[in-house]
């Protein structure tokens, strides 16, 4: 049985494809000397189950030591009935620097562990012939690298977990014609009740036409065509008639089907793909973030997307769905997808279930430990983030972008690497997508005056003190993170971490993290935020008190509770690492069921000259 055999790209579907997950030859290359030792040319000594990383149990390797490089090898017969078409080799994610050879020819290089890349095999293998695929993945232990929560020590510690090296998402082959469609961008336009479809074409030729069709369960709603040889990007508009208009939202996650076709001058079909979209709009009204013109309080939960047996790779399709359903059963309507770029199939299920998410980059790995200018992200961070934006633009469930998280660094009178990269990633996001709000960095160091949203991380465990800290937003003096908020001392120079608050919508995007593990053994490595409750009832009271502080604050557009599940030693989840229940889920849900203050008041009155709430 092929593991994770479902179609990996659900927003751009063609009928012909071949999943390459399963058994591959494998070899660890501790010192990254494999190229010199001829590993591109010989059989490898071990085996691995793709798409699971070698550190994971499901891979069959379960080697958790550092690996400077790893190698994969597999020979596959390209289907003979693909003759006359190009053959593309897709990797959904390989951590971190990948080089790919096919039949002895280098066909691809890619840096970054979060995003897909593709190799065109047309010049190295023909349909009906064997393709011998060799992959080297380098994952250096030191230096700035977008690692997310992967531990830079041998062991797991605090909020850092077992590493992921090499292939960790689906590998697959796909045939396409010489001229073929590329992944479209689909943007809903609520004001005009329409979708804009940007359909790029590889190998555009005179006479080719893009045709897009919009439909729902009752049939076709609209169609549009455009020549591909007049503009660099072909755009078409698909209006939704008033009588068939359903707005995508958590209560009714309505999706429309979109068929995109490439047609020649004689009307013959050259290429086609299936997609979908949700009609919804996101806007800002003073301190409220609006969904479809109304304030919808974002009851988010922090989701890190780790699994005991697969690490960053979900063991099955059902596991992806279960995490969303667990969060919704506990009263959350969305998540911050934290320090990881989640796979496309997870976002597909968010789309169809009406689950609001913030897309985030796994940027941790740039901290140097220096006293001054301790964050040194590279240009690669921006490159990789742009690939994320391109991959995920069309998902209606994504309601905001977060390129950076907890970039702790003192501000002073010199422009730093962190300033450059923060600005670069923010501006890149705004240039790539003008349909969603962007926060420059979640928590800690806000360095962009024009950030669309402002936030803080606050793990105060006393609801009364938490309320006092959060009340300042009513006077435009919100809680802003400082060095005292760090879970571990960093000893940074004195000075502010963030630019002044500019009146943007504000939310507490990390709070809670209440430490609770009734099953822990004596001496077990376990932690959460603050002092663990002395009883289960104390946990419930603390959770209810913290949540109500934010629900009752009319200037708060949402929150994000830490976290959905325990992750290894970090045992502050609402569910155990194996997804079993820790608490009465109905009581957790009830605590979040009140109508939020910001949902009751629109427009929000100016209280900047009055006393705090």
């Amino acid at each position: 049985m092929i593991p994770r055999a479902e179609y990996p790209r659900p927003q751009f579907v063609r009928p012909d494809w071949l999943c390459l997950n399963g058994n591959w030859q494998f070899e660890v290359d501790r010192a990254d000397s494999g190229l010199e030792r001829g590993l591109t040319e010989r059989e490898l000594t071990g085996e691995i189950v793709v798409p699971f990383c070698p550190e994971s149990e499901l891979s069959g390797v379960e080697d958790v030591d550092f690996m400077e490089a790893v190698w994969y090898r597999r020979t596959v017969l390209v289907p003979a009935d693909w003759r006359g078409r190009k053959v593309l080799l897709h990797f959904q994610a390989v951590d971190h620097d990948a080089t790919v050879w096919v039949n002895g020819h280098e066909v691809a290089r890619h840096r970054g562990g979060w995003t897909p890349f593709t190799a065109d095999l047309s010049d190295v293998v023909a349909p009906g012939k064997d393709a011998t695929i060799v992959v080297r993945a380098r994952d250096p232990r030191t230096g700035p690298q977008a690692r997310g929560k992967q531990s830079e020590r041998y062991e797991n510690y605090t909020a850092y977990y077992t590493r992921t090296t090499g292939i960790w998402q689906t590998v697959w082959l796909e045939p396409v014609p010489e001229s073929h469609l590329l992944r479209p961008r689909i943007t809903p336009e609520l004001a005009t009740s329409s979708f804009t479809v940007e359909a790029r074409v590889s190998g555009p030729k005179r006479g080719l036409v893009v045709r897009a069709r919009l439909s729902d369960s009752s049939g076709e709603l609209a169609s549009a065509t455009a020549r591909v040889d007049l503009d660099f990007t072909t755009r078409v508009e698909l209006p939704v008639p008033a009588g068939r208009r359903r707005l995508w939202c958590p209560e009714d996650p309505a999706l429309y089907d979109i068929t995109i076709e490439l047609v020649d001058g004689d009307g013959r079909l050259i290429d086609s793909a299936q997609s979908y979209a949700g009609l919804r709009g996101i806007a800002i009204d003073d301190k409220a973030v609006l969904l479809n013109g109304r304030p919808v309080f974002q009851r988010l939960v922090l989701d890190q997307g780790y699994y005991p047996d697969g690490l960053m790779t979900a063991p099955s399709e059902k596991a992806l769905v279960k995490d969303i359903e667990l969060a919704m059963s506990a009263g959350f309507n969305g998540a911050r997808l934290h320090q990881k770029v989640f796979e496309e199939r997870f976002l597909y299920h968010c789309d169809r279930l009406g689950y609001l998410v913030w897309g985030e980059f796994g940027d941790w790995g740039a901290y140097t430990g220096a006293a001054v200018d301790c964050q040194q992200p590279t240009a690669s961070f921006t490159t990789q983030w742009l690939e994320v934006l391109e991959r995920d633009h069309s998902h209606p469930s994504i309601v905001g972008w977060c390129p950076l998280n907890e970039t702790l660094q003192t501000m002073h009178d010199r422009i730093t690497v962190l300033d450059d990269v923060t600005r670069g990633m923010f501006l890149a996001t705004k240039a790539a997508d003008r349909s969603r709000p962007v926060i420059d960095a979640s928590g800690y160091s806000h360095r962009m005056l024009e950030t669309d949203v402002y936030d803080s991380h606050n793990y105060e465990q006393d609801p009364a003190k938490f309320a006092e800290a959060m009340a300042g937003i009513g006077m435009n003096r919100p809680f802003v993170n400082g060095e005292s908020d760090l879970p571990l001392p960093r000893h940074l120079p004195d000075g502010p971490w963030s630019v002044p608050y500019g009146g943007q919508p504000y939310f507490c995007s990390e709070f809670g993290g209440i430490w609770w593990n009734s099953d822990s053994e004596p001496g077990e490595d376990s932690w959460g935020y603050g002092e663990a409750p002395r009883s289960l009832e104390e946990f419930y009271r603390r959770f209810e008190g913290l949540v109500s502080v934010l629900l009752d604050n009319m200037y708060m557009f949402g929150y994000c509770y830490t976290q959905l599940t325990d992750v290894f030693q970090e045992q502050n989840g609402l569910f155990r690492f194996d997804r079993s229940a820790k608490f009465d889920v109905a009581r957790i849900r009830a605590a979040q069921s009140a109508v939020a203050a910001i949902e009751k008041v629109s427009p929000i009155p100016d209280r900047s000259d009055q006393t705090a709430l």
Side-chain angles (χ1 to χ4, degrees), residues 251-324:
E251 300 81 15
D252 181 23
L255 296 174
Y256 293 91
D257 294 319
I258 296 179
T259 302
I260 305 171
E261 299 171 327
L262 185 64
V263 181
D264 70 10
D266 296 323
R268 290 175 298 199
L269 184 65
I270 305 299
D271 188 19
S272 67
Q274 292 296 127
S275 190
Y276 67 85
L279 184 60
R280 61 102 183 91
I282 304 164
I284 287 174
D285 177 13
D286 194 17
K287 289 184 173 61
V289 175
L290 307 181
L291 178 66
N292 301 333
R294 63 184 180 93
V296 175
F297 192 84
Q298 296 183 20
R299 295 164 172 83
L300 309 180
V301 67
L302 196 78
D303 188 348
Q304 307 204 61
Y306 272 77
Y307 302 86
D309 49 2
L311 300 179
M312 287 202 300
T313 308
S316 67
E317 177 91 344
K318 289 182 179 179
L320 295 174
V321 177
K322 183 174 183 178
D323 282 359
I324 300 170

Side-chain angles (χ1 to χ4, degrees), residues 216-367:
D216 61 13
S217 59
S218 298
E220 187 172 307
L221 301 172
S223 65
T225 61
R227 289 172 56 179
V228 305
D229 58 338
L230 297 180
D231 299 294
F232 193 75
T233 298
T234 303
R235 293 178 177 84
V236 296
E237 300 292 326
L238 296 172
V240 181
R244 307 272 283 276
R245 190 172 183 247
R246 287 177 63 189
L247 303 187
W248 187 95
C249 61
E251 300 81 15
D252 181 23
L255 296 174
Y256 293 91
D257 294 319
I258 296 179
T259 302
I260 305 171
E261 299 171 327
L262 185 64
V263 181
D264 70 10
D266 296 323
R268 290 175 298 199
L269 184 65
I270 305 299
D271 188 19
S272 67
Q274 292 296 127
S275 190
Y276 67 85
L279 184 60
R280 61 102 183 91
I282 304 164
I284 287 174
D285 177 13
D286 194 17
K287 289 184 173 61
V289 175
L290 307 181
L291 178 66
N292 301 333
R294 63 184 180 93
V296 175
F297 192 84
Q298 296 183 20
R299 295 164 172 83
L300 309 180
V301 67
L302 196 78
D303 188 348
Q304 307 204 61
Y306 272 77
Y307 302 86
D309 49 2
L311 300 179
M312 287 202 300
T313 308
S316 67
E317 177 91 344
K318 289 182 179 179
L320 295 174
V321 177
K322 183 174 183 178
D323 282 359
I324 300 170
E325 292 176 341
L326 287 176
M328 296 175 75
S329 72
F332 297 98
N333 61 10
R336 269 187 68 205
L337 306 181
H338 184 55
Q339 278 303 296
K340 174 187 171 184
V341 179
F342 281 52
E343 63 174 278
E344 292 188 60
R345 291 217 58 98
F346 183 88
L347 294 175
Y348 160 69
H349 293 299
C350 294
D351 294 340
R352 70 177 187 83
L353 293 172
Y355 193 64
L356 310 173
V357 295
W358 281 73
E360 185 172 310
F361 187 54
D363 70 298
W364 280 15
Y367 181 73

Side-chain angles (χ1 to χ4, degrees), residues 424-490:
M425 294 182 80
F426 178 84
L427 293 177
T429 311
K430 300 297 289 186
D433 184 2
R434 296 186 180 275
S435 69
R436 296 175 174 94
V438 183
I439 189 167
D440 58 343
S442 180
Y444 293 8
S445 192
H446 294 292
R447 308 180 90 83
M448 294 288 296
L449 284 167
E450 58 266 52
T451 183
D452 296 321
V453 170
Y454 207 97
D455 76 343
S456 66
H457 297 174
N458 189 325
Y459 285 106
E460 172 58 56
Q461 297 293 298
D462 182 331
K465 293 180 180 178
F466 185 57
E468 184 178 356
M470 290 295 108
I473 183 64
M475 298 183 293
N476 280 334
R477 294 199 296 269
F479 176 83
V480 178
N481 288 115
E483 189 163 0
S484 62
D485 302 305
L486 291 174
L488 296 174
R490 298 291 194 184

Side-chain angles (χ1 to χ4, degrees), residues 14-27:
R14 290 190 180 97
D16 291 342
W17 71 294
L18 180 64
C19 183
L20 300 186
N21 292 346
N23 292 329
W24 287 56
Q25 293 180 28
F26 178 76
E27 193 166 324

Side-chain angles (χ1 to χ4, degrees), residues 71 118 161 172 201 217 222 259 270 278 399 440 458 471 475 566 571:
W71 291 75
T118 298
Y161 318 127
W172 54 298
V201 174
S217 59
T259 302
I270 305 299
V399 294
D440 58 343
N458 189 325
M475 298 183 293
D566 296 342
Q571 295 178 352

Side-chain angles (χ1 to χ4, degrees), residues 40-189:
T40 57
E41 301 163 3
R42 67 162 172 82
E43 303 292 303
L44 304 180
T45 57
E47 284 194 347
I48 191 170
V49 178
V50 169
F52 303 108
C53 71
E55 292 88 347
S56 72
E57 174 189 336
L58 292 175
S59 71
V61 178
E62 208 166 358
D63 183 341
V64 297
D65 205 347
F66 289 96
M67 307 176 213
E68 284 292 308
V70 293
W71 291 75
Y72 300 79
R73 183 183 184 93
R74 179 173 176 181
T75 298
V76 59
L77 177 65
V78 179
D81 60 1
W82 291 2
R83 285 191 177 94
R85 290 182 282 179
K86 288 175 172 285
V87 178
L88 304 181
L89 172 60
H90 299 292
F91 294 85
Q92 289 301 109
V94 182
D95 196 333
H96 184 263
D97 292 356
T99 307
V100 182
W101 296 264
V102 175
N103 291 347
H105 301 273
E106 183 181 319
V107 295
R109 294 186 183 187
H110 183 262
R111 169 165 288 174
W114 306 114
T115 48
F117 63 97
T118 298
D120 185 344
L121 306 189
S122 302
D123 295 333
V124 297
V125 66
K129 302 295 184 181
D130 283 341
T132 297
I133 304 166
V134 176
V135 181
R136 178 190 61 196
R138 286 171 161 151
D139 197 14
R141 179 176 180 176
T142 59
Q145 180 178 307
R147 293 183 173 88
K149 290 295 193 79
Q150 299 179 65
S151 176
E152 295 179 69
R153 302 179 189 172
Y154 172 75
E155 72 279 2
N156 293 2
Y157 69 103
T158 60
Y160 294 89
Y161 318 127
T162 305
R163 289 167 297 283
T164 289
T165 299
I167 297 170
W168 67 279
Q169 289 184 35
T170 292
V171 184
W172 54 298
L173 289 174
E174 178 185 36
V176 296
E178 182 73 25
S179 294
H180 58 274
L181 299 164
L182 298 174
R183 180 193 293 268
R185 279 191 195 178
I186 303 172
T187 306
E189 303 286 349

